[in-house]
Amino acid sequence: GFTDNYYKSHLVVVVKKDGPYAAAKTINDFGGAKVTAQLNTFHYSVIEQMKDVDIQTAMDDFPTMIVALSSGKIDGYVSEKPGAVSAVATNPDLTFIDFDEASGFQCSDDDTAIAVGVKKDSATIEQINKILSEIPESTREDIMNKAVANQPSSN
């Protein structure tokens, strides 16, 4: 089974820091942009929510998308925030657009929520859920940001 969700990720768009979309505020500020996301992820399916973008073929992985973005083959890609934080940390020419709830992608909690997988019918689930319920959202965000910052670089 799974515990309660401990972290709700949200989607951002990674762009070039000095590119034409670096000042975007909403998902509708990307008219004409060539946008993609990782193959076989729900990230790819939300691109159609962006007004007037040029949807590109999905790409295999983040390193491929980062190279495509840096070289100008694409203008942006959709990512969950932890992945974007990581990409920007190792690629100073990139940045990401973080949207507020009203101006970002609409997606289900099932798509963006992260939980702990535990052996079926485990009493541990209740204990973990109790602990999770006592950790404020802001603390969870801080923990995730630190974890992302401390992960080994993929470059």
Side-chain angles (χ1 to χ4, degrees), residues 20-80:
Y21 303 98
K25 298 276 181 264
T26 79
I27 60 168
N28 294 322
D29 294 339
F30 292 87
K34 296 187 189 108
V35 180
T36 191
Q38 193 172 3
L39 192 65
N40 301 323
T41 63
F42 81 95
H43 309 159
Y44 191 73
S45 65
V46 301
I47 299 173
E48 63 195 29
Q49 295 177 25
M50 303 171 81
K51 226 167 80 191
D52 303 325
V53 299
D54 183 0
I55 300 177
Q56 302 295 294
T57 306
M59 295 187 176
D60 287 334
D61 52 40
F62 287 109
T64 305
M65 292 189 291
I66 289 168
V67 169
L69 180 56
S70 294
S71 69
K73 188 175 170 203
I74 59 171
D75 296 305
Y77 68 85
V78 177
S79 168
E80 288 184 54

Side-chain angles (χ1 to χ4, degrees), residues 55-111:
I55 300 177
Q56 302 295 294
T57 306
M59 295 187 176
D60 287 334
D61 52 40
F62 287 109
T64 305
M65 292 189 291
I66 289 168
V67 169
L69 180 56
S70 294
S71 69
K73 188 175 170 203
I74 59 171
D75 296 305
Y77 68 85
V78 177
S79 168
E80 288 184 54
K81 189 174 176 181
V85 169
S86 179
V88 169
T90 52
N91 299 276
D93 59 319
L94 305 183
T95 188
F96 63 87
I97 313 299
D98 203 348
F99 309 100
D100 63 37
E101 220 163 303
S103 59
F105 296 101
Q106 301 304 306
C107 38
S108 78
D109 283 355
D110 289 350
D111 284 333

